[in-house]
Amino acid sequence: MVTQPLWVFGYGSLLWNPGFTPVETIPARLTGFHRSFCMWSIHHRGSEDEPGLVLALDVADRATCDGVAFRVADDEAENVLQMLRDRELISSAYYEDVVPLALEDGRNVQALAYIINQDHVQYCGDLSLERQAEVIARSVGGRGPNTEYLYNTASHLTQMGVADPDMDWLVTRVQELSAKPA
């Protein structure tokens, strides 16, 4: 199911921490999905007792998700694929799929993407932005504070020139909540 060459779509933490050195990095757009804090994180940015939230690709008609396409060196494809599976499929909340990406330079490629399974217990696509902010402001997991995940992703989207009003609102609100005494 994996394409050759191996392309990987980054839309969340992969934007700022792909875990490998790509041989090519280019802005890309995926159609039919949107980036959303719709997955409870019980490992990386939260725990089973106090879950955090992480981004996922959620199916949405007429939506688009701007991110980055990373091309993996052919001789590293097998190792990178295993590393990504170990990282992204830790709880089976994501499923791995090959999706069509439109690259900024006009090319179209097939890329590996990790998409939320809406039937999984970690799916939480109906949380209000306020509830998302409350969770993100307090959660910490094996990879650090949930706030770090939000701030790094938002910063990289801004650097890329990607407008995401919900992300901007969450950053402001989480900063407000984090500044309040406990």
Side-chain angles (χ1 to χ4, degrees):
M1 180 153 139
V2 177
T3 62
Q4 194 68 357
L6 176 59
W7 287 89
V8 178
F9 183 56
Y11 58 88
S13 65
L14 288 174
L15 293 172
W16 47 272
N17 182 20
F20 63 95
T21 303
V23 293
E24 186 176 357
T25 302
I26 185 166
R29 175 170 283 175
L30 175 62
T31 301
F33 295 87
H34 70 108
R35 175 185 11 259
S36 172
F37 277 102
C38 64
M39 181 178 151
W40 293 114
S41 178
I42 59 173
H43 299 288
H44 298 315
R45 298 297 173 167
S47 66
E48 288 191 29
D49 292 333
E50 286 207 46
L53 287 171
V54 290
L55 292 164
L57 289 174
D58 203 2
V59 175
D61 289 338
R62 288 176 253 128
T64 59
C65 179
D66 290 322
V68 173
F70 299 107
R71 186 167 59 87
V72 178
D74 291 344
D75 62 345
E76 294 178 15
E78 188 175 317
N79 289 335
V80 168
L81 183 59
Q82 188 58 55
M83 178 275 301
L84 288 170
R85 286 175 172 165
D86 291 345
R87 171 180 166 173
E88 303 296 332
L89 301 178
I90 189 168
S91 66
S92 301
Y94 289 126
Y95 64 91
E96 184 179 88
D97 203 358
V98 175
V99 296
L101 293 183
L103 304 185
E104 183 180 66
D105 65 7
R107 290 179 290 164
N108 293 295
V109 299
Q110 297 293 309
L112 195 64
Y114 293 93
I115 301 166
I116 188 72
N117 174 355
Q118 293 181 344
D119 294 326
H120 196 277
V121 67
Q122 286 175 254
Y123 178 69
C124 55
D126 58 353
L127 296 180
S128 69
L129 284 175
E130 180 64 26
R131 179 72 177 117
Q132 291 173 38
E134 292 166 358
V135 170
I136 292 168
R138 66 161 170 70
S139 300
V140 177
R143 292 201 176 191
N146 210 164
T147 53
E148 175 186 69
Y149 178 93
L150 169 67
Y151 298 153
N152 281 338
T153 303
S155 173
H156 277 74
L157 290 172
T158 298
Q159 289 171 16
M160 292 171 54
V162 174
D164 190 325
D166 287 351
M167 188 81 62
D168 295 341
W169 188 92
L170 281 169
V171 166
T172 300
R173 184 64 179 132
V174 167
Q175 288 170 337
E176 292 169 358
L177 291 171
S178 297
K180 290 182 181 177

